[in-house]
Amino acid sequence: MKNVKLGKILLCAASAVMITASAASLGACTIETAHPEAEITYEFNGETYSVKYTLYRNLRPHTVRHFIELSDEGYYDNTVIHNYDTSDWFGGMYTYDKEQYSEKSENANQMAEYFADFSKEDAYVQLYADGVLSKTVFKFAAYNPETEKIEDTDEYVPTLMGEFYNNIHQEFENDPLSSEFGCLKTYYYEKSSVQKVYVTPTKDQTIMADYKSNCTTSLFAVQTGTSSSYTRATYSVFAKLASIDEFENLIEDINDYIRDEHGGTKSDFYNETVVHVDNSDAFTDKSEVDRGIEQTFKSPKTPIIIKSVKITKY
């Protein structure tokens, strides 16, 4: 068991000794806060940048829990930004191998091979099978219409419920989590499937929804511009920068590198690489139109590495 998890258990145990009988009746001990904190250490061109984030559990409880569970497993450590854009970076699915990345980064076809070899998609699905990740998306067989509840938790889909307005119309009218510079958002590949699933926003809610809005896996986007087409209406914004300086330094150093090494031409900084994604998606319609679909990655020739993702406050 990881030390951080052990620490949480010991703290709960110590606190339990001190609570009164009436307090004990309220439920199990918890040290969860409305705003957990995370630190992502990026590496670029031999330099490291430790960027701190505030997570919004009070507004995106399932998304934040999912991110924390993956982080605690070390899932994001030593992965790469696989798709570079002027407004967003996309990461959370591909392991960084220094030798192989360096060897294949100049060739688009070889980079496609790299992503096929170093995908973490199967490892992500296995975390669900092992019971590590909490379940929020379920197949029809899980739902009992008489009780109007999910009663077969084995009938789950290994994805994350989309906590955004265009999915289940949660009350986001006064939502403070705008899509802004430095924020973290979940990301998913657009689906054409018309299949339905059940999602569980709260313990007492079961809602039918479109699978295409509830198919996030481990992917997340880091917004690097002041605007983005991946807005809070269709993607779950779940974290903001706690301090802007270190992230600005990273962006500035990458832009300086593109200027010095590529004459300022950003398209020379990356290869456009066609990659088959969602290969392990077992929940598709009969034509399997959403499994193994093609996506074009703008993969940086000089890697932007996610060295680690650590939860520093729960």
Side-chain angles (χ1 to χ4, degrees):
M1 179 178 291
K2 296 185 178 295
N3 290 338
V4 66
K5 292 182 178 178
L6 179 59
K8 290 175 69 178
I9 292 171
L10 292 175
L11 180 57
C12 274
S15 301
V17 175
M18 303 174 64
I19 59 176
T20 64
S22 60
S25 67
L26 295 177
C29 171
T30 177
I31 58 169
E32 291 185 348
T33 62
H35 301 294
E37 296 172 0
E39 183 175 66
I40 300 181
T41 300
Y42 300 92
E43 180 180 314
F44 177 75
N45 197 30
E47 297 291 332
T48 58
Y49 308 79
S50 295
V51 181
K52 297 180 180 179
Y53 297 88
T54 299
L55 309 180
Y56 284 77
R57 179 188 274 123
N58 59 322
L59 300 172
R60 307 289 191 273
H62 299 293
T63 304
V64 168
R65 180 181 62 197
H66 189 73
F67 184 76
I68 288 176
E69 288 172 344
L70 287 168
S71 299
D72 280 349
E73 288 298 311
Y75 181 90
Y76 292 122
D77 296 353
N78 197 45
T79 55
V80 291
I81 298 298
H82 62 267
N83 196 1
Y84 172 89
D85 191 271
T86 54
S87 296
D88 293 271
W89 298 341
F90 303 93
M93 186 59 78
Y94 299 95
T95 299
Y96 174 61
D97 181 281
K98 183 176 181 179
E99 182 179 349
Q100 289 294 312
Y101 198 101
S102 176
E103 178 182 323
K104 296 182 177 181
S105 61
E106 293 292 333
N107 182 283
N109 290 332
Q110 290 185 351
M111 276 309 292
E113 295 175 2
Y114 177 91
F115 288 126
D117 291 340
F118 290 96
S119 170
K120 301 193 72 172
E121 186 180 0
D122 286 341
Y124 171 81
V125 173
Q126 189 61 46
L127 288 175
Y128 267 103
D130 292 342
V132 173
L133 301 181
S134 300
K135 303 165 185 175
T136 58
V137 183
F138 298 89
K139 304 174 187 177
F140 268 35
Y143 181 71
N144 185 330
E146 293 184 2
T147 62
E148 298 184 344
K149 292 185 179 297
I150 296 295
E151 294 194 349
D152 188 350
T153 56
D154 288 332
E155 289 290 333
Y156 63 90
V157 183
T159 58
L160 172 65
M161 184 187 76
E163 291 182 292
F164 48 81
Y165 183 82
N166 284 11
N167 179 30
I168 55 175
H169 305 295
Q170 295 184 43
E171 296 298 327
F172 290 157
E173 286 81 358
N174 298 316
D175 186 1
L177 295 181
S178 58
S179 302
E180 62 184 44
F181 177 75
C183 74
L184 301 181
K185 297 170 279 191
T186 58
Y187 182 73
Y188 54 89
Y189 300 114
E190 294 288 344
K191 299 290 189 289
S192 57
S193 171
V194 297
Q195 285 187 270
K196 299 287 186 178
V197 292
Y198 283 104
V199 297
T200 53
T202 71
K203 181 177 65 175
D204 299 319
Q205 280 183 300
T206 302
I207 299 174
M208 184 186 296
D210 293 325
Y211 170 60
K212 63 183 180 181
S213 295
N214 298 280
C215 61
T216 296
T217 55
S218 61
L219 295 177
F220 65 89
V222 185
Q223 186 165 320
T224 59
T226 56
S227 63
S228 170
S229 58
Y230 305 100
T231 68
R232 63 182 179 178
T234 51
Y235 295 86
S236 183
V237 178
F238 66 93
K240 289 184 177 183
L241 289 173
S243 177
I244 198 170
D245 293 346
E246 191 75 350
F247 189 65
E248 283 187 328
N249 289 339
L250 171 59
I251 299 296
E252 182 179 349
D253 286 352
I254 291 175
N255 288 335
D256 287 347
Y257 180 88
I258 293 172
R259 182 197 64 212
D260 296 341
E261 298 296 325
H262 301 290
T265 304
K266 289 190 175 182
S267 60
D268 290 341
F269 174 63
Y270 56 77
N271 266 315
E272 289 200 358
T273 304
V274 176
V275 180
H276 292 272
V277 301
D278 287 343
N279 298 296
S280 300
D281 186 346
F283 190 77
T284 57
D285 61 21
K286 293 181 179 179
S287 64
E288 297 186 353
V289 293
D290 293 321
R291 186 187 303 176
I293 56 177
E294 289 186 347
Q295 291 288 313
T296 299
F297 293 173
K298 296 176 180 178
S299 55
K301 297 176 183 178
T302 302
I304 304 170
I305 306 162
I306 299 173
K307 294 289 291 182
S308 65
V309 179
K310 303 299 181 187
I311 306 304
T312 56
K313 176 183 175 183
Y314 290 86

